[in-house]
Amino acid sequence: MSDVHSHHPVMLQEVVEALQVRPSGIYMDATFGRGGHAAAILGRLGEHGRLIAMDRDPQAVQVAKERLAMDRRFTIQQGTFAMLEFIAETAGVAGKLDGVLFDLGVSSPQLDDPARGFSFLRDGPLDMRMDPSQGESAAAWLARARETDIAHVLKTYGEERYAKRIARAIVQARTAAPITTTAQLAEIVTVANPAWERDKHPATRAFQAVRIYINGELEALQTSLPQAVRMLVPGGRLAVISFHSLEDRIVKRYLRREVRGEDLPRHLPLLPDAAQPTLRAVGKARFPAEAEVRDNPRARSAVLRVAERV
């Protein structure tokens, strides 16, 4: 299939440098997307290097197979973050990875394709599933969810100040007509939202919240970070790009905990292995350069955090 939607890999040079890609290394791209980061990694690998990619989105997997089917160094599997360890084991690289990359959030092709239902700027079916063949669409969930549950999702996953008010409006609107398109939901949220950030669309937080909930994104991230670390060789690098505070908070807290090791009473004579640090922080959080943000405004909220397996 042709990929008509453009995609700019975020912080491309910073990611390749953070992973310290070696010609003979073995790497995993946990979010292939449209392959921008993967292509850069492959460009630094020699003939004996390997790149194992995964993506939840069947369209991304299809693009990968079409573009890179002839490259014997590359393989891709469809799966969620929670399947990272299984995919590594299946590929025979468990505990052998020199680097793992997470590029979180929604890709530009997903946002730009109205049929996927991710964007409040383009009218389309209200779906929002990363894998349209699995789980419940946003429209189906909003049709049955209780008002309190909708409000909880908006508050928890979107940090929406007016969650209760917007949830009430959604429930009232669906009694008149099913909410089946992105334009419908965006209009309902906009009318119900009394105030929002000047540089954001009034439906931004609500759409983020519903998408994260429908796809179980934060739970999958929490599950997969320890898996990624277990799959690394000593000295292997973990690089994570996040795009909003909820993701970044999970990544930051996990890395901090693994860098410090488990807190135990000081009087213990020997620290058990479980209490030993598993990671070493590599520099501070990194952000896109001004030139990249000008060229790709979607990169403006990106944060890159890097750690090394000890």
Side-chain angles (χ1 to χ4, degrees), residues 23 43 73-74 93 121 147 172 179 183 186 189 197 238 240 256 263 274 285 302:
R73 304 169 301 168
F74 177 83
V93 297
L121 298 177
E147 182 179 320
Q172 290 174 348
I179 305 170
V189 174
E197 296 94 331
L238 171 65
V240 186
R256 181 188 297 156
D263 290 330

Side-chain angles (χ1 to χ4, degrees), residues 262-281:
E262 187 178 342
D263 290 330
L264 291 174
R266 294 182 179 180
H267 65 268
L268 288 179
L270 292 173
L271 289 177
D273 290 341
Q276 299 285 0
T278 61
L279 294 172
R280 177 185 69 84

Side-chain angles (χ1 to χ4, degrees), residues 167-211:
R168 189 179 310 119
I170 289 171
V171 171
Q172 290 174 348
R174 77 186 185 191
T175 62
I179 305 170
T180 59
T181 71
T182 54
Q184 281 179 282
L185 180 59
E187 177 66 16
I188 293 165
V189 174
T190 298
V191 172
N193 198 336
W196 54 89
E197 296 94 331
R198 185 169 55 181
D199 60 339
K200 287 186 177 181
H201 188 284
T204 299
R205 292 182 178 276
F207 268 66
Q208 172 189 298
V210 175
R211 188 205 83 221

Side-chain angles (χ1 to χ4, degrees), residues 138-172:
W141 178 71
L142 286 173
R144 67 165 182 81
R146 296 180 302 175
E147 182 179 320
T148 53
D149 292 335
I150 296 173
H152 174 75
V153 166
L154 297 179
K155 181 69 173 178
T156 303
Y157 298 117
E159 300 178 300
E160 174 57 68
R161 290 173 58 196
Y162 303 102
K164 291 183 179 180
R165 181 170 178 162
I166 293 170
R168 189 179 310 119
I170 289 171
V171 171
Q172 290 174 348

